[in-house]
Amino acid sequence: MNESTIRILLVEDEDHLAAGLKLNFELEGYAVDVAATGREAGRLLLADQPYDAILLDVTLPDVDGFALCQKLRDAGNTTPVLMLTARSALGDRIEGLNAGADDYLTKPFVLEELLARVRSLIRRRDWGRKTETPRNAGNVLRLGEAVVDFDTHDVRMRGEPLHLTKLELDLLRYFADNPGRVLSREELQQEVWKLHDYPSHRMVDNFIMRLRRHFEPDPRNPVVFLSVRGAGYKFVPLAPGSGVA
Ligand code: CA
């Protein structure tokens, strides 16, 4: 295992599920420790090996996952936490988020979705780290004739300042981080707006229109923020300097 290996703590008392998840995450290149109880999780968390993400089952034999999450946060631990639970009631989800969880997945879930959410959690944590470093060159996006600095929120089109709202920047950032991938409206709503199971997606469509007006050479014939029929949107980066309208 090298230093860049991503380490995950899986807190899950169902042996079969824990073993399956451990195997699948290891196949993806992660290192996984499993704890079957809250006590064991606490012991592993106290060890000197820090984790990049924690997958936390809500119903554990000795402690409630919400309480464990709250305890971690109270102790100043900021490791991203994804709660796993059979409970899908909205109240429970809110309780999880209030306890300091970063995301929430209801059992039974599709493995691919869990993997995608864990990747997303770790990516978001990395952004947080990057923005602590001033003027990180990695936070600049060149899109056609536009230059977007995600650290300073300075956006220029052919050298002229362009004003984007925080949410427009967050949405653009999410696209820039996922080039070429079809992103559903649900995913965008969850990842950018942090809204889970929100019924209307009109907001997402409105924001895509705004990004198109800002960045597309011809907003009526998009080539950057593409609609994928019945699926969502796909970001196709323009080569720097190209795409004059
Ligand atoms: Ca359980």
Side-chain angles (χ1 to χ4, degrees):
M1 187 191 311
N2 62 45
E3 263 182 34
S4 64
T5 301
I6 292 173
R7 299 181 56 90
I8 291 185
L9 175 60
L10 171 61
V11 189
E12 171 61 71
D13 60 319
E14 290 168 53
D15 292 346
H16 201 70
L17 179 61
L21 289 178
K22 179 174 160 68
L23 175 67
N24 277 288
F25 273 96
E26 284 173 351
L27 289 173
E28 295 281 313
Y30 296 87
V32 182
D33 286 335
V34 177
T37 63
R39 190 173 300 121
E40 207 179 327
R43 189 178 57 74
L44 286 168
L45 283 163
L46 283 177
D48 54 359
Q49 219 23 292
Y51 291 96
D52 296 285
I54 301 169
L55 307 187
L56 182 54
D57 182 29
V58 169
T59 49
L60 294 165
D62 58 341
V63 68
D64 184 300
F66 297 131
L68 181 58
C69 184
Q70 186 68 60
K71 225 167 113 183
L72 276 178
R73 295 306 186 229
D74 289 347
N77 186 318
T78 58
T79 308
V81 170
L82 189 150
M83 310 278 306
L84 297 174
T85 179
R87 299 193 256 177
S88 64
L90 183 62
D92 282 337
R93 282 182 237 192
I94 290 169
E95 187 177 352
L97 296 172
N98 282 344
D102 300 272
D103 202 356
Y104 196 101
L105 199 54
T106 305
K107 295 175 185 173
F109 50 80
V110 177
L111 178 68
E112 275 310 313
E113 181 173 10
L114 177 61
L115 290 170
R117 288 197 183 202
V118 168
R119 277 195 292 268
S120 162
L121 274 186
I122 292 169
R123 204 162 51 222
R124 285 208 301 255
R125 182 213 53 180
D126 288 346
W127 291 356
R129 285 187 182 168
K130 267 184 211 154
T131 52
E132 284 163 18
T133 314
R135 307 296 301 165
N136 186 322
N139 280 329
V140 173
L141 170 70
R142 289 169 198 284
L143 185 61
E145 295 205 294
V147 181
V148 181
D149 186 326
F150 288 106
D151 285 337
T152 61
H153 294 190
D154 185 52
V155 185
R156 304 254 159 186
M157 175 60 84
R158 292 174 215 117
E160 293 297 313
L162 199 61
H163 181 72
L164 263 71
T165 66
K166 168 85 167 55
L167 271 169
E168 288 173 338
L169 276 170
D170 287 348
L171 179 60
L172 178 61
R173 174 102 211 207
Y174 195 74
F175 274 117
D177 211 56
N178 293 280
R181 191 157 78 80
V182 176
L183 305 172
S184 70
R185 290 173 174 83
E186 287 82 0
E187 176 176 349
L188 293 170
Q189 208 154 262
Q190 285 183 11
E191 297 298 329
V192 179
W193 281 265
K194 315 294 179 220
L195 285 173
H196 295 250
D197 299 336
Y198 192 71
S200 166
H201 300 134
R202 190 181 300 163
M203 184 173 58
V204 173
D205 296 331
N206 286 341
F207 270 77
I208 301 285
M209 275 164 52
R210 285 156 67 168
L211 288 186
R212 282 175 175 162
R213 279 201 294 268
H214 289 311
F215 297 107
E216 290 280 358
D218 177 2
R220 283 159 306 170
N221 295 296
V223 293
V224 181
F225 303 95
L226 299 183
S227 298
V228 181
R229 208 185 159 88
Y233 293 99
K234 184 159 82 171
F235 176 67
V236 181
L238 277 180
S242 74
V244 187

